[in-house]
Amino acid sequence: MNLNYWLTFITTVEKGTLSAAAEELHLTQPAVSKQLQALEDYYGVRLLERRGREVRLTAAGEICYRHAKAIARHLEQSQRELAELTQLVKGRLLLGASTTPGQYILPRLIGSFRREYPQVEVVVEIADSQEVIRRLQDGEIDLGVVGAGGRGRSLSYSRLVEDELVLIVPPGHRLAGVKAATPRDLQGESLVWREAGSGTRRVVEERLQKAGFTVDSSQIVMELGSTEAIVSAVEAGLGISLVTCWAVEKSVKLGRLFTVPLQGVNLKRDLYLVRRRQLLSPAAEAFTCFLEKHHLQLPLPVDS
């Protein structure tokens, strides 16, 4: 049984409504309902009665609530005593990440993190930015790392590292080897683009539009779900694209791609660590503190 379900149950009882519990836990109301249903399915009895917006304990719920509070107190006490005794951080850390940080940045960080915290198991789930945020809001992951900032009372965004997007073209392309290009040079080009919902796509299209160039949907010849797939497609001559500089260093050195400076467009962006505004698990707290202590250096600009 997931202990978070107990916390959700306790909070719902004490707050009196699902909406108040959702606000307190920084979860969506459907997520709260789902966790309560899972708890009732586990015991096979109704624990809460819903009367309008309010919820009340059933007789079975009274029993479960009494034991849940006791479990919560014992768990908190055991965590304090063990932390004082061993000073070790243990547990499972679930990270959600969009493609760029998930493939190119987090692996470097996690290696260093686990050398400091070898008893923490780290799991990284890669999805587009919108899906990462959804999973975080629903309590399915501990922390998220995405390529676009956001707002909201339930989530907190903090800058992790700077990224820079670069224009890539295949060998033999008319822009290969030129000193610089402008957004106007993208007119009529076949574009290999990230899928809808991608933080990278959102940033690229917003920045190009600010520079006076609006992407025509007819130019997009292919939408792909990963940066590496885009790099491979551009290497094959299927079009041109804008991708993170973290992804192309090897291809440029091997002569499979050219990068072209794009004038008049700010292609730098921040990657963000996202968390719910609530108490973190010891493993998640250790990871956030680890990130604060380690400044990540961006690779040197890729020259073609």
Side-chain angles (χ1 to χ4, degrees):
M1 172 56 62
N2 190 324
L3 288 175
N4 287 329
Y5 296 173
W6 284 107
L7 175 60
T8 299
F9 175 64
I10 292 170
T11 305
T12 302
V13 172
E14 294 177 352
K15 291 296 180 181
T17 67
L18 269 65
S19 59
E23 184 174 358
E24 175 71 17
L25 295 168
H26 303 292
L27 296 172
T28 62
Q29 191 167 326
V32 171
S33 296
K34 183 178 178 181
Q35 292 187 16
L36 293 175
Q37 185 63 54
L39 197 60
E40 290 181 332
D41 290 346
Y42 179 79
Y43 285 107
V45 293
R46 178 72 66 182
L47 302 177
L48 296 170
E49 292 180 345
R50 293 159 178 81
R51 298 181 180 178
R53 296 178 65 249
E54 296 183 349
V55 295
R56 296 184 181 180
L57 287 168
T58 64
E62 292 278 3
I63 296 172
C64 282
Y65 177 69
R66 185 173 69 252
H67 287 289
K69 290 290 287 185
I71 290 170
R73 288 194 298 270
H74 286 303
L75 181 62
E76 184 178 352
Q77 181 62 28
S78 68
Q79 288 176 331
R80 284 198 299 265
E81 292 179 6
L82 288 172
E84 292 171 0
L85 176 65
T86 66
Q87 295 298 307
L88 290 177
V89 176
K90 304 176 183 179
R92 200 164 187 248
L93 175 61
L94 295 175
L95 301 177
S98 55
T99 305
T100 296
Q103 289 186 340
Y104 305 107
I105 297 171
L106 283 179
R108 307 184 188 196
L109 288 170
I110 290 169
S112 299
F113 173 74
R114 292 207 68 249
R115 283 192 286 273
E116 290 190 25
Y117 299 96
Q119 298 193 54
V120 174
E121 177 192 359
V122 182
V123 177
V124 179
E125 299 178 356
I126 297 178
D128 65 47
S129 297
Q130 292 179 356
E131 178 66 9
V132 170
I133 295 304
R134 184 199 66 76
R135 292 181 186 178
L136 189 60
Q137 290 174 325
D138 287 351
E140 296 175 9
I141 56 177
D142 297 309
L143 300 167
V145 184
V146 296
R151 295 179 180 178
R153 289 190 307 166
S154 66
L155 298 178
S156 172
Y157 290 74
S158 56
R159 182 183 180 277
L160 176 60
V161 68
E162 185 181 80
D163 182 26
E164 184 170 7
L165 302 168
V166 294
L167 176 64
I168 57 172
V169 302
H173 190 275
R174 65 182 181 86
L175 296 177
V178 302
K179 291 184 178 180
T182 67
R184 186 175 299 177
D185 290 314
L186 302 181
Q187 192 70 44
E189 289 288 342
S190 297
L191 302 178
V192 181
W193 235 226
R194 282 298 302 272
E195 80 285 2
S198 161
T200 298
R201 176 169 178 163
R202 175 178 143 193
V203 169
V204 165
E205 293 184 347
E206 286 177 353
R207 302 290 175 84
L208 288 175
Q209 190 166 28
K210 285 182 180 179
F213 177 79
T214 300
V215 176
D216 188 331
S217 60
S218 65
Q219 290 182 251
I220 302 174
V221 298
M222 188 176 295
E223 293 184 354
L224 297 170
S226 76
T227 302
E228 291 191 356
I230 289 176
V231 170
S232 296
V234 174
E235 288 179 350
L238 299 178
I240 67 176
S241 190
L242 286 143
V243 299
T244 173
C245 65
W246 296 81
V248 298
E249 185 175 9
K250 181 178 179 180
S251 293
V252 169
K253 287 181 177 179
L254 294 174
R256 297 173 181 168
L257 288 177
F258 285 81
T259 59
V260 183
L262 199 58
Q263 295 181 338
V265 187
N266 176 16
L267 291 174
K268 292 184 178 180
R269 63 169 179 171
D270 290 330
L271 302 179
Y272 296 88
L273 177 72
V274 194
R275 54 170 289 182
R276 293 187 299 276
R277 296 181 187 272
Q278 67 182 73
L279 186 66
L280 295 176
S281 69
E285 185 65 44
F287 190 69
T288 57
C289 292
F290 170 85
L291 294 179
E292 290 174 1
K293 291 189 299 182
H294 293 75
H295 176 67
L296 205 62
Q297 296 294 327
L298 199 67
L300 294 174
V302 179
D303 297 323
S304 58

